[in-house]
Amino acid sequence: MAEALQEQQAPTLPHEIDPREFDGPGFQRDPFPLYKRLRDHHPLFHDRFHNRWVLSRYWDIDGAFQDNASYDRAVYNPDGPYQFGSTHVFGPNILEYGNSPQHRWLRNIVAGQFVGNRLQVFLPMVAQICDEVIATLREAGEVELVSQFSSQVPIRVISNMLGLPREDEDAFVDWYQALIAGLGFGGEHLARGIQARNEMWDYLDPLIAARSKTPGDDLLSRIVSAELEGARMSPDEVKGFVALLLAAGGDTTDKAIANMWFHMMYTRPDQYADVQADPNLWDAVFTEMMRYDPVVHAQFRHTTREVELHGRVIPERAGIILYLGAGNRDERVFKDPDTFDIHRGDLHMGRENRSGRYKDGKPGHLGFGIGQHFCMGYAMARQEAMIACTKLMAAMGAPQPKFDSHPGISSPSIDSGGFRSPQELVLTFNPA
Ligand code: HEM
């Protein structure tokens, strides 16, 4: 039935694009053919159906990310006559701010916690959580990686970073799942997400009060007591940030780990042999995964003034969608972009940076964004994914896929939030 609908919606001319293709199950599973038609024939596509403009080429996306004078992210005005963030499932959070001084302030007060020495302090705990989760799997001889491993580790890591009591970790996992589902479409999901957020906020209130009085060395203490230009985050901002961390830092890293394993099991089993020989190559698996089929495929902006691009004018206040997943496959930038290759020589393979400009002169992937809103957790996501994959491979005696074929990575169904990943991934193993 879904396939039949997709057939009916197929455009009559080879290069013509029917905007309803973006909503079909074909795009959810495999958006790359449409991305290519966009790049080749409609580098600036005016999607009148969804009322937005679509950018799909690498350098156009890079340009939009770097041009704060023409493109902004703000959803609405925090000084408006309403409670900022009240209808967002996370509450007031940095994602709703644009290029304003408030954004800069909020970013600067917390960004340092996720890089450098501050990050290093948390890494032994990440390794310990991985060991604990792996210990629950050893007996069975097989693991459904998504539900039993990748969705378990990052959320427990964040709960521990925040310094929450360990006995509350399972409640935290439940709130996380409801919050993520709340990002999906439909009032019912949003209502459940907001309910979970409110429960979590009630839970956090006394902890925030206690940590403000007597700070420890955990992330929650650091966030509540961090000061910049003489000001601290308000309790609502702290709670909004904690809720955001669950999705921005938990769900994304969860999907990154699952995608890395999927590519090693099914896309390049030959390169899995290389990774078994040298586990440090998980780092390259992470980078190439972030290019080839990144966890986050799209980011949204609006224009703050008229913008001329590809001989056309985008009006002021127009909605823009930047398809990172399309830019990463731009054949104007990467050779054989549809080939997953951890040894590729034309991609910056090391750690990303905010400017997207590297000493080796190679382009980086677009999967963490670029510029003012560049992902704050880029270093943490990489380190955590590396530790999780390396430990699982070592503990499980080089797991193998249980089934010969797999339906592949897809975007979540329209009625649930979240990012691209395999829905399930069953591995068998031989523990030493
Ligand atoms: C593989 C994992 C991850 C992916 C794919 C990812 C992706 C992204 C992307 C694409 C953006 C840019 C948003 C924009 O341009 O509007 C972003 C921003 C952000 N990310 Fe991540 N992220 C990941 C992990 C993390 C982690 C682990 C954390 C926290 C510990 C985190 C926290 C944030 C925050 C707070 C922002 C907003 C930054 C700002 O607006 O200044 N992310 N992320």
Side-chain angles (χ1 to χ4, degrees):
M1 174 66 192
E3 250 78 17
L5 193 69
Q6 181 76 353
E7 286 282 296
Q8 275 173 16
Q9 289 173 358
T12 45
L13 294 172
H15 305 316
E16 192 182 317
I17 287 174
D18 179 335
R20 287 171 298 175
E21 288 178 64
F22 290 107
D23 304 324
F27 185 73
Q28 199 179 329
R29 273 196 312 271
D30 182 10
F32 298 104
L34 177 53
Y35 287 164
K36 181 160 173 52
R37 277 159 56 217
L38 284 163
R39 283 192 309 267
D40 289 351
H41 304 286
H42 307 272
L44 177 62
F45 178 61
H46 187 186
D47 173 351
R48 293 169 197 273
F49 186 68
H50 299 96
N51 193 20
R52 63 191 184 180
W53 297 71
V54 181
L55 268 62
S56 50
R57 285 191 186 170
Y58 184 96
W59 290 115
D60 292 339
I61 294 169
D62 174 272
F65 271 137
Q66 312 253 13
D67 181 357
N68 283 344
S70 307
Y71 298 90
D72 199 349
R73 188 181 63 185
V75 181
Y76 53 90
N77 175 8
D79 299 324
Y82 39 71
Q83 199 192 339
F84 185 58
S86 53
T87 60
H88 196 288
V89 78
F90 301 143
N93 71 80
I94 194 168
L95 292 186
E96 300 216 291
Y97 285 114
N99 308 329
S100 59
Q102 288 111 307
H103 168 267
R104 253 190 303 279
W105 184 86
L106 207 48
R107 185 177 169 107
N108 289 345
I109 202 165
V110 283
Q113 304 298 340
F114 304 103
V115 291
N117 290 341
R118 297 267 181 182
L119 173 62
Q120 294 304 317
V121 170
F122 291 119
L123 296 184
M125 176 272 289
V126 174
Q128 188 197 325
I129 302 264
C130 290
D131 287 340
E132 285 173 11
V133 177
I134 288 169
T136 65
L137 308 173
R138 277 182 192 276
E139 295 298 299
E142 69 175 45
V143 55
E144 197 293 282
L145 184 108
V146 176
S147 59
Q148 295 182 290
F149 186 69
S150 69
S151 66
Q152 297 294 324
V153 171
I155 185 65
R156 293 179 193 279
V157 164
I158 288 177
S159 166
N160 272 269
M161 278 177 93
L162 288 166
L164 305 184
R166 291 225 61 181
E167 61 271 23
D168 299 337
E169 224 167 273
D170 288 336
F172 215 58
V173 174
D174 289 346
W175 287 325
Y176 160 66
Q177 278 157 358
L179 280 176
I180 300 299
L183 292 174
F185 296 86
E188 194 195 316
H189 292 280
L190 179 65
R192 244 183 300 139
I194 289 183
Q195 188 191 338
R197 176 196 81 187
N198 290 341
E199 282 170 23
M200 190 176 79
W201 280 19
D202 288 346
Y203 166 82
L204 285 173
D205 270 331
L207 290 175
I208 291 174
R211 306 287 163 85
S212 311
K213 251 201 215 143
T214 330
D217 199 31
D218 54 82
L219 183 61
L220 189 59
S221 299
R222 292 187 201 171
I223 295 173
V224 294
S225 52
E227 261 186 34
L228 191 67
E229 293 152 18
R232 290 182 176 192
M233 273 162 96
S234 70
D236 277 0
E237 281 172 335
V238 172
K239 290 185 282 186
F241 188 74
V242 170
L244 169 68
L245 268 187
L246 301 188
D251 199 32
T252 51
T253 312
D254 158 0
K255 303 304 194 268
I257 295 168
N259 291 354
M260 289 161 78
W261 276 98
F262 172 81
H263 289 306
M264 288 299 91
M265 296 295 101
Y266 290 101
T267 315
R268 291 304 298 260
D270 56 327
Q271 296 199 337
Y272 181 46
D274 299 347
V275 176
Q276 282 173 259
D278 177 6
N280 288 324
L281 284 172
W282 278 115
D283 198 51
V285 178
F286 179 87
T287 315
E288 176 65 342
M289 176 277 295
M290 289 291 284
R291 181 199 70 82
Y292 180 82
D293 191 349
V295 178
V296 177
H297 268 230
Q299 286 298 315
F300 301 90
R301 296 290 186 268
H302 64 260
T303 49
T304 52
R305 59 187 184 192
E306 289 185 348
V307 176
E308 211 185 315
L309 194 63
H310 295 294
R312 301 175 72 183
V313 174
I314 313 175
E316 187 181 338
R317 301 289 312 168
I320 308 286
I321 182 162
L322 307 172
Y323 273 118
L324 318 180
N328 277 343
R329 295 267 189 124
D330 192 340
E331 36 291 276
R332 292 151 200 82
V333 176
F334 299 111
K335 194 164 171 283
D336 299 329
D338 296 331
T339 301
F340 186 99
D341 181 5
I342 61 171
H343 303 300
R344 76 172 35 250
D346 57 358
L347 170 70
H348 170 74
M349 290 309 267
R351 242 180 25 175
E352 302 78 6
N353 71 36
R354 200 170 171 175
S355 74
R357 303 290 182 268
Y358 303 96
K359 283 201 187 115
D360 61 13
K362 295 177 187 174
H365 65 77
L366 298 169
F368 283 132
I370 289 178
Q372 180 159 353
H373 302 284
F374 173 67
C375 178
M376 286 201 311
Y378 74 104
M380 182 175 154
R382 177 182 287 275
Q383 298 269 15
E384 191 176 338
M386 274 287 286
I387 295 171
C389 292
T390 311
K391 279 202 164 278
L392 189 73
M393 187 169 77
M396 301 300 185
Q400 296 295 326
K402 179 169 182 183
F403 303 110
D404 291 341
S405 64
H406 189 286
I409 287 176
S410 68
S411 302
S413 63
I414 192 121
D415 61 353
S416 79
F419 308 109
R420 272 180 78 77
S421 70
Q423 303 304 309
E424 260 189 18
L425 186 57
V426 186
L427 310 182
T428 57
F429 52 83
N430 304 299

